[in-house]
């Protein structure tokens, strides 16, 4: 996706100015944004948790050709890191967009069945209810919700949560804006956060008022949400992992009282 498509009306030079230098800028010379879709593994004690599940394999996504019928070595990669599907104890979703739920199910004999059959799948109730009952005329439930989320509920693997709940040492916090029930995940006692899609690009740390293009459910609400969390992250030296942003980063306060991303833990 190009910078102009993602940040309509914002000059590319401004995005460059408000981004870190070099590869961490995540903006190519040709104006394309560099965006990854990551899955995180948390291992603490007996907990083996995955956070967000990418776009998945074999899923028909004609509206999103870059995610259509993928065949990526997700499970092979997890295996190489010592994570077998049966060993996953928890799956956390920051929200239920198409690029965060895909690997949750795998096609077997024509049906979508849970890929991690022993895992508790932690799902925000508000988020689920929104996508399960879309507004009239809204085009119905998204295909990704039907093929990747509903089968988890049918299999009895879902644990419903609300902001403030804590599961397996992970505290969930309200981040509604990008989607109606988006959550942030805090690793309790470590000040490490998984921020989902609170930011899609590092420039949004210096410019939290820049929405995530057409992807935010409520742009103004998400701007308020980003700004509020940035202040807390900067104040406490939090380490952030964002689904689309690559390696860890921290939020620094600038001399002018704004914010800027700094890579590293
Ligand atoms: Zn996303």
């Amino acid at each position: 996706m190009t910078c102009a498509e993602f940040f309509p009306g914002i000059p590319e030079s401004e995005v460059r100015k408000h981004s870190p230098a070099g590869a961490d800028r995540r903006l190519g010379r040709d104006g394309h944004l560099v965006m990854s879709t990551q899955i995180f593994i948390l291992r603490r004690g007996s907990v083996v948790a995955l956070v967000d599940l990418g776009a998945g394999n074999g899923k028909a996504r004609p509206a999103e050709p870059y995610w259509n019928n993928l065949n990526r070595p997700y499970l092979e990669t997890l295996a190489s890191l010592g994570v077998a599907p049966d060993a996953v104890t928890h799956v956390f979703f920051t929200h239920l967009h198409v690029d965060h739920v895909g690997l949750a199910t795998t096609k077997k004999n024509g049906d979508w069945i849970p890929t991690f059959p022993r895992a508790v799948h932690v799902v925000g109730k508000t988020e689920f209810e929104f996508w399960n009952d879309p507004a009239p005329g809204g085009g119905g439930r998204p295909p990704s919700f039907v093929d990747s989320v509903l089968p988890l509920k049918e299999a009895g693997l879902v644990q419903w949560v609300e902001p403030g709940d804590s599961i397996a040492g992970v505290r969930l916090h309200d981040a509604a804006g990008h989607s109606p029930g988006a959550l942030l995940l805090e690793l309790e006692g470590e000040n490490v956060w998984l921020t989902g899609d609170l930011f899609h690009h590092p420039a949004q740390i210096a410019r939290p008022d820049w929405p995530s293009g057409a992807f935010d459910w409520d742009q103004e609400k998400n701007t308020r949400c980003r700004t509020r969390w940035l202040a807390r992250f900067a104040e406490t030296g939090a380490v952030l992992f964002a689904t689309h942003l690559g390696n860890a980063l921290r939020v620094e306060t600038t001399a002018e009282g704004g914010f800027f991303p700094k890579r590293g833990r």
Side-chain angles (χ1 to χ4, degrees):
M1 179 166 285
T2 65
C3 186
E5 285 165 337
F6 192 83
F7 291 122
I10 299 168
E12 195 180 307
S13 57
E14 280 293 294
V15 176
R16 284 185 193 282
K17 188 171 116 192
H18 291 291
S19 303
D24 289 338
R25 179 167 281 147
R26 295 178 82 75
L27 172 59
R29 285 177 199 281
D30 62 356
H32 276 85
L33 297 182
V34 177
M35 224 176 256
S36 36
T37 301
Q38 290 157 278
I39 296 172
F40 298 101
I41 304 171
L42 306 177
R43 270 190 279 222
R44 288 204 297 186
S46 59
V47 172
V48 180
L50 302 178
V51 181
D52 285 346
L53 289 181
N57 283 335
K59 306 220 151 146
R61 304 286 183 248
E64 295 116 349
Y66 33 86
W67 291 322
N68 192 37
N69 270 315
L70 296 180
N71 183 18
R72 298 244 167 99
Y74 290 110
L75 295 183
E76 293 81 350
T77 306
L78 287 173
S80 75
L81 296 166
V83 179
D86 273 358
V88 176
T89 60
H90 296 78
V91 171
F92 289 89
F93 299 105
T94 59
H95 62 299
L96 298 177
H97 281 173
V98 54
D99 53 325
H100 295 254
V101 298
L103 188 60
T105 59
T106 302
K107 202 168 218 175
K108 207 167 191 183
N109 301 327
D111 292 324
W112 291 107
I113 60 158
T115 307
F116 306 102
R118 299 158 98 98
V120 171
H121 290 67
V122 179
V123 177
K125 200 155 182 29
T126 305
E127 181 77 359
F128 181 91
E129 282 170 358
F130 179 85
W131 298 110
N132 192 40
D133 188 16
R141 295 162 163 168
S144 57
F145 183 83
V146 174
D147 63 33
S148 304
V149 179
L150 286 182
L152 306 174
K153 180 170 178 271
E154 282 153 21
L157 293 178
V158 170
Q159 177 158 357
W160 305 110
V161 289
E162 293 175 8
D165 289 347
S166 169
I167 310 243
V170 176
R171 177 81 57 185
L172 305 161
H173 296 268
D174 173 38
H178 174 62
S179 68
L183 297 168
L184 305 185
L185 276 54
E186 175 196 8
L187 308 196
E188 289 184 295
E190 299 191 35
N191 206 16
V192 171
W193 294 70
L194 295 115
T195 57
D197 286 5
L198 191 60
F199 320 100
H200 284 80
H201 191 270
Q204 288 172 301
I205 291 176
R207 294 300 306 259
D209 55 317
W210 288 352
S212 291
F215 299 100
D216 281 347
W217 162 69
D218 184 329
Q219 294 188 349
E220 282 179 26
K221 195 172 168 116
N222 205 20
T223 288
R224 286 198 300 276
C225 184
R226 264 194 294 270
T227 309
R228 176 165 59 92
W229 281 110
L230 277 171
R232 173 162 171 179
F233 294 149
E235 214 175 278
T236 63
V239 174
L240 313 183
F241 291 90
T243 304
H244 300 295
L245 277 190
N247 292 328
L249 56 89
R250 290 175 189 268
V251 178
E252 302 270 298
T253 306
T254 65
E256 297 77 37
F259 302 110
F260 207 76
K262 183 165 182 268
R263 287 286 171 179
R265 301 200 53 170

